[in-house]
Amino acid sequence: MEHEQHRPYFFFSYARRDFEAEDAFVNQFFNDLRDELGRLVGPAVRAEELAFRDTEQLRLGDDWAERLATMLGRSRTMIALYSPAYFASLYCGKEWTAFRGRVRRHHEDTGELVPALVPVLWEPVGSGELAAEVTKIQWVQPDMGEAYARHGLRALLRTAQSGAYEQVVRVVAERVRDAAARRLGELPEFDLGAVRGYFPPPAAPEPAPSPGMVRLFIAAGSASEAAAAGGSFAGGWYGSKPWHWAPYYPPTQPSLVVRAQQVITAAGHTTTLEEIGPGLGEKLDQAREDSQVSVLLVDPWVAGSGRYRAALSEYDDQNHPVTGVVVPIGSNDPDGEREAPWTGVRGVFRRNWLRRSDLEHLFRVRVNQESFDSDLTIMVTVAQNKLMDDNLDWGDDGGDAFGFGSGDDTSGSGDGPDLPGLAIPSGPSGRPRPPHPRQGPPAARHHPDPVPPELPGQSRGQDDAVPLRGDQDDDH
């Protein structure tokens, strides 16, 4: 009987980064699934027998790798919380591979195929980048709903689609109950650290273009401002800080800033982030002098507000040739109000508004969810090419450099350098590779305002900005 108590109905496998980003939602799903399973199997099964999760059942002094291996070998099923972070985690890959191997061994020994590995789509993932073994297991079925299949369970929680969410919980709990009743064979003691997981995949080769620094500046509303506006303040989901703004619904990334950072780092560059404020023009000039390009992300609902109007108008009156502007249009703006914010945008960008259709691609308004990634990628490339033109040494006589002066070249062909071509890449490749999850909380760091202190992956950069680049270590 004691041994049976150590055979939980499900082992909860998840990425630590998903838990740290949305701990309330991950906790809610775990608790709701355990409660629904308890209702299905009856009161005779105690709560601690229903599920194993490391944050709840690892105790001080436990050998965590040995304990996880033991429970992977004994649990009747495994819930795998699929997300980009999950497939970038070394130890999630080890857990998935070990349990998948246990299912295959049972099949080889008994001829019975038990569907005990139960995927749950937390966030959308690109199936084309997954190992073939992962894609063999179906992670959605018709009775789980279209919204879940398209956007994942996290989006249902964030957008309060309670009916759709509860239906997914019921389906998953029933799947766990049915698979647990088929008595999957246990896996003998093994070393989890020695398991060679199916993921994460090998690191992609470095992009061909030289990496550069892209400075992001954000002007966006906050939840308190939206509440004070009495409901007329639209433009997406707002948090306590401007960099929490997520105009596209349901949000597939934590915020527009994070999405922009992922697009930029996927192209091989680094980013910094600041809120738009006084002295914006000087900062853009300094960035150009330091061979850095800049992008302004502007919420149209606050572009003309007192907090940002002066800085944006000043930008519009100046010449910043290696700076781009992106003004998204929220996918959930109320009908009849979608035109409301553009008066303020035209008011602060009087000169640049005339450039909104230019082929130069450095001022883009009404940018929707589908075109954001490609528009931003092209914008950064155009700005970097203009920066390259800035930095070329054309000699004392620009005419000679282009072959137009008399010089010593009597042929008139000129011997100056060729103008660099406008090499625009096809866009970010697939989903950007997320940092490795399953890690402890980062050490606290001090970042004076206006730098957002809680953004992940921070390190000190110039002008108190926050460079973000590359993966972090995965230490479970």
Side-chain angles (χ1 to χ4, degrees):
M1 182 64 180
E2 181 180 1
H3 182 63
E4 284 296 306
Q5 292 177 357
H6 288 80
R7 294 199 72 225
Y9 274 71
F10 68 87
F11 179 103
F12 195 64
S13 178
Y14 65 100
R16 178 72 64 184
R17 184 169 294 278
D18 288 333
F19 172 70
E20 291 174 350
E22 298 284 1
D23 57 338
F25 291 150
V26 173
N27 284 335
Q28 181 178 345
F29 172 60
F30 174 79
N31 292 328
D32 289 346
L33 177 60
R34 184 175 57 185
D35 292 347
E36 178 65 14
L37 180 61
R39 188 187 66 80
L40 292 175
V41 300
V45 180
R46 297 183 301 178
E48 58 267 27
E49 300 173 36
L50 292 173
F52 175 85
R53 180 183 177 189
D54 58 354
T55 56
E56 293 196 349
Q57 291 171 277
L58 284 178
R59 295 170 296 183
L60 185 65
D62 281 349
D63 183 325
W64 62 267
E66 181 179 339
R67 178 70 170 156
L68 289 178
T70 299
M71 301 316 296
L72 278 167
R74 291 183 181 176
S75 297
R76 306 180 190 201
T77 69
M78 186 179 89
I79 298 293
L81 211 60
Y82 282 10
S83 71
Y86 188 82
F87 290 106
S89 166
L90 176 64
Y91 262 87
C92 288
K94 290 176 180 289
E95 291 169 359
W96 193 97
T97 303
F99 200 90
R100 175 64 168 163
R102 181 181 164 196
V103 172
R104 292 173 68 92
R105 175 177 294 187
H106 179 88
H107 184 211
E108 293 169 357
D109 292 345
T110 67
E112 180 188 28
L113 186 58
V114 180
L117 202 166
V118 184
V120 173
L121 185 62
W122 187 245
E123 282 192 283
V125 293
S127 59
E129 299 179 18
L130 302 180
E133 192 69 14
V134 174
T135 60
K136 291 178 182 178
I137 300 177
Q138 185 73 16
W139 64 64
V140 68
Q141 58 192 55
D143 57 353
M144 299 177 94
E146 181 182 355
Y148 166 78
R150 290 183 60 191
H151 305 298
L153 198 60
R154 173 176 172 268
L156 300 186
L157 282 163
R158 290 199 68 178
T159 54
Q161 299 184 54
S162 57
Y165 166 73
E166 291 166 2
Q167 174 64 13
V168 174
V169 172
R170 281 193 295 271
V171 170
V172 175
E174 290 168 358
R175 173 84 175 268
V176 170
R177 176 200 60 189
D178 296 344
R182 297 176 64 177
R183 309 292 297 182
L184 180 68
E186 294 188 30
L187 187 66
E189 185 175 332
F190 68 99
D191 180 1
L192 183 61
V195 173
R196 188 172 182 178
Y198 282 109
F199 50 89
E206 284 295 318
S210 300
M213 173 70 77
V214 180
R215 298 188 64 169
L216 291 174
F217 295 83
I218 180 75
S222 65
S224 60
E225 292 171 324
S232 62
F233 190 84
W237 180 87
Y238 293 97
S240 60
K241 303 294 183 182
W243 44 87
H244 295 155
W245 175 47
Y248 302 135
Y249 257 69
T252 55
Q253 302 291 347
S255 70
L256 192 74
V257 164
V258 172
R259 180 168 177 171
Q261 290 166 342
Q262 291 175 332
V263 170
I264 292 168
T265 56
H269 311 300
T270 57
T271 69
T272 67
L273 174 65
E274 295 181 56
E275 184 180 6
I276 289 174
L280 174 64
E282 289 82 355
K283 292 180 180 180
L284 297 178
D285 288 340
Q286 184 62 53
R288 182 182 178 190
E289 186 175 328
D290 294 337
S291 297
Q292 301 168 356
V293 303
S294 303
V295 174
L296 313 185
L297 302 175
V298 180
D299 177 0
W301 290 91
V302 300
S305 68
R307 182 148 58 111
Y308 297 116
R309 172 182 287 276
L312 293 178
S313 296
E314 180 185 0
Y315 163 80
D316 189 66
D317 290 337
Q318 298 172 346
N319 181 33
H320 297 286
V322 297
T323 297
V325 178
V326 180
V327 188
I329 184 168
S331 54
N332 67 324
D333 286 352
D335 292 339
E337 294 189 18
R338 294 176 71 86
E339 294 302 317
W342 301 106
T343 300
V345 174
R346 287 192 294 268
V348 295
F349 292 117
R350 290 173 299 174
R351 294 175 59 219
N352 279 280
W353 184 262
L354 303 176
R355 303 170 52 212
R356 64 190 185 279
S357 300
D358 287 357
L359 295 178
E360 194 176 46
H361 213 93
L362 286 178
F363 186 81
R364 284 291 177 262
V365 298
R366 303 179 189 269
V367 177
N368 60 31
Q369 184 172 13
E370 290 71 28
S371 64
F372 178 83
D373 292 7
S374 60
D375 277 5
L376 179 59
T377 302
I378 294 171
M379 180 177 290
V380 169
T381 303
V382 170
Q384 287 186 318
N385 279 328
K386 289 172 71 69
L387 185 65
M388 187 186 305
D389 289 351
D390 270 358
N391 292 338
L392 285 175
D393 182 6
W394 299 113
D396 293 333
D397 188 328
D400 281 348
F402 284 98
F404 296 136
S406 56
D408 295 328
D409 184 359
T410 56
S411 69
S413 62
D415 57 359
D418 295 330
L419 280 171
L422 181 60
I424 299 178
S426 60
S429 57
R431 67 171 169 83
R433 187 180 62 200
H436 291 310
R438 280 292 179 117
Q439 62 183 11
R445 301 178 185 177
H446 173 68
H447 294 292
D449 289 334
V451 181
E454 66 272 44
L455 288 173
Q458 299 182 354
S459 59
R460 176 63 62 198
Q462 292 185 353
D463 298 329
D464 292 328
V466 184
L468 301 172
R469 177 181 173 85
D471 295 346
Q472 301 181 27
D473 294 336
D474 185 331
D475 57 3
H476 203 268

